[in-house]
Amino acid sequence: MSERSSHWQLHTIVSQLRSARDQWRAKNGRASGEQGGRELPSRAAMAEILEALCGALFPMRLGPVDLREESEDFYVGHTLDVALNALLAQTRLELRYVARHSAQDDSEVEARAIQIVQDFALALPGLRTLLDTDVLAAYHGDPAARSVDEVLLCYPGILAVIHHRLAHHLYRAGLPLLARISAEIAHSATGIDIHPGAQIGRSFFIDHGTGVVIGETAIIGERVRIYQAVTLGAKRFPADEDGQLQKGHPRHPIVEDDVVIYAGATILGRITIGKGSTIGGNVWLTRSVPAGANLTQANLQHDDGTQK
């Protein structure tokens, strides 16, 4: 260590940090540590993979600044080769982490990792086509949008949806940790929190976007538009007999096709928002509404001011 490091008492701090790690590992049944290298996937590696995938999906808009159209296919092929190999390495880490607690051997993990990434690669053209519907929905749904290029380059809702489409595929493929890392990278960049388990149909548009929260078991139909600070959340969290939260149960809303949800609306529980409904700003909703409903704060109140 450098001469100046003596000012920071680094030897003492390093020793105390080692002690803290050892205590945590012993308490949680991991006394042996992560022998042989990193055990869990890397957020930094996933950020690079996602940036590369965005460039490969939209090369002339999200790719390198000096890319020319005649080099587009070469760039896409090279970028995908690097990104998919990096994704394979991260996939191995997650699957090996899970396999520690099961009877799987390394050959099973390797075969499954390769199959998952192969399937992911083959899904990319379909994901690009799906994302095109989201970009067009944003362009047609916002009178301030001057072009689809502006939407793709500037709108945080589009960045969040690109990440979600990729993360959702990973989630369904059995990589919940990589999927969640991917979602949280977009969350950090945009303020839009979409759990990778949420099912979202075509032509989805989040306008403005900051503060939007969409829970794991939410189901959203086609041509749905939502605005900033909308929450599609859970109303309650059932616990088992030991007091532990039960996981995996449907607990978030179902939003049918052609619904618009305005800023600040909070929709909680496994309720259904019927096709073609409009939910006004700052509405608090915990019951299903029929198709074609038009709910505002005013028409949700009794004459005495209490909520219906």
Side-chain angles (χ1 to χ4, degrees):
M1 295 184 183
S2 68
E3 182 179 342
R4 183 166 292 184
S5 68
S6 61
H7 296 313
W8 320 130
Q9 303 182 52
L10 290 183
H11 287 292
T12 300
I13 295 169
V14 168
S15 177
Q16 290 172 344
L17 286 171
R18 162 61 67 181
S19 178
R21 292 196 304 273
D22 288 344
Q23 290 176 25
W24 188 90
R25 287 167 177 166
K27 182 178 179 181
N28 291 276
R30 301 184 185 185
S32 61
E34 298 185 19
Q35 297 179 355
R38 186 184 182 101
E39 184 181 56
L40 290 168
S42 163
R43 182 182 174 113
M46 283 304 299
E48 291 182 1
I49 291 166
L50 289 164
E51 183 176 6
L53 290 172
C54 287
L57 287 167
F58 298 96
M60 297 304 294
R61 298 298 177 267
L62 303 182
V65 66
D66 58 348
L67 181 64
R68 300 180 65 85
E69 191 171 356
E70 57 265 28
S71 305
E72 202 173 11
D73 285 347
F74 176 82
Y75 163 76
V76 170
H78 173 73
T79 300
L80 285 179
D81 186 43
V82 173
L84 293 171
N85 278 294
L87 180 60
L88 178 60
Q90 297 304 305
T91 300
R92 287 191 189 107
L93 286 171
E94 178 165 353
L95 294 181
R96 286 172 182 166
Y97 176 76
V98 173
R100 268 196 335 156
H101 308 286
S102 69
Q104 285 184 307
D105 59 33
D106 282 347
S107 63
E108 291 177 299
V109 167
E110 180 66 13
R112 186 175 175 217
I114 292 172
Q115 187 63 59
I116 286 174
V117 178
Q118 285 178 339
D119 292 343
F120 178 82
L122 292 172
L124 289 173
L127 289 174
R128 162 64 203 243
T129 300
L130 182 58
L131 286 165
D132 285 343
T133 71
D134 301 321
V135 172
L136 286 172
Y139 173 65
H140 292 304
D142 183 3
R146 296 180 179 275
S147 69
V148 291
D149 299 319
E150 178 187 358
V151 166
L152 188 56
L153 287 169
C154 302
Y155 281 37
I158 291 299
L159 177 61
V161 171
I162 293 173
H163 277 237
H164 175 74
R165 300 294 190 195
L166 296 169
H168 184 66
H169 185 97
L170 297 175
Y171 181 89
R172 290 174 62 87
L175 299 173
L177 182 55
L178 290 183
R180 191 61 184 267
I181 291 171
S182 302
E184 292 304 330
I185 290 168
H187 183 193
S188 298
T190 66
I192 297 168
D193 182 1
I194 310 176
H195 193 285
Q199 301 176 47
I200 301 177
R202 297 164 58 87
S203 302
F204 180 56
F205 176 34
I206 303 174
D207 200 357
H208 304 295
T210 305
V212 165
V213 177
I214 300 174
E216 178 184 20
T217 63
I219 299 175
I220 298 175
E222 298 186 354
R223 299 174 300 280
V224 170
R225 182 165 81 250
I226 67 177
Y227 288 80
Q228 68 271 21
V230 166
T231 296
L232 303 181
K235 184 178 180 181
R236 58 177 62 89
F237 303 96
D240 61 23
E241 57 187 17
D242 297 322
Q244 300 296 315
L245 292 182
Q246 297 180 9
K247 299 182 183 292
H249 294 283
R251 58 195 182 278
H252 300 101
I254 298 171
V255 179
E256 295 185 342
D257 298 346
D258 302 302
V259 169
V260 179
I261 306 174
Y262 284 99
T266 299
I267 303 173
L268 302 179
R270 193 58 161 190
I271 63 175
T272 298
I273 308 303
K275 181 176 180 179
S277 294
T278 299
I279 309 300
N282 297 312
V283 164
W284 180 280
L285 191 60
T286 58
R287 60 176 175 82
S288 295
V289 298
N294 186 359
L295 299 186
T296 66
Q297 282 187 307
N299 65 25
L300 276 173
Q301 302 295 321
H302 289 290
D303 292 338
D304 62 5
T306 59
Q307 189 173 30
K308 291 181 181 179

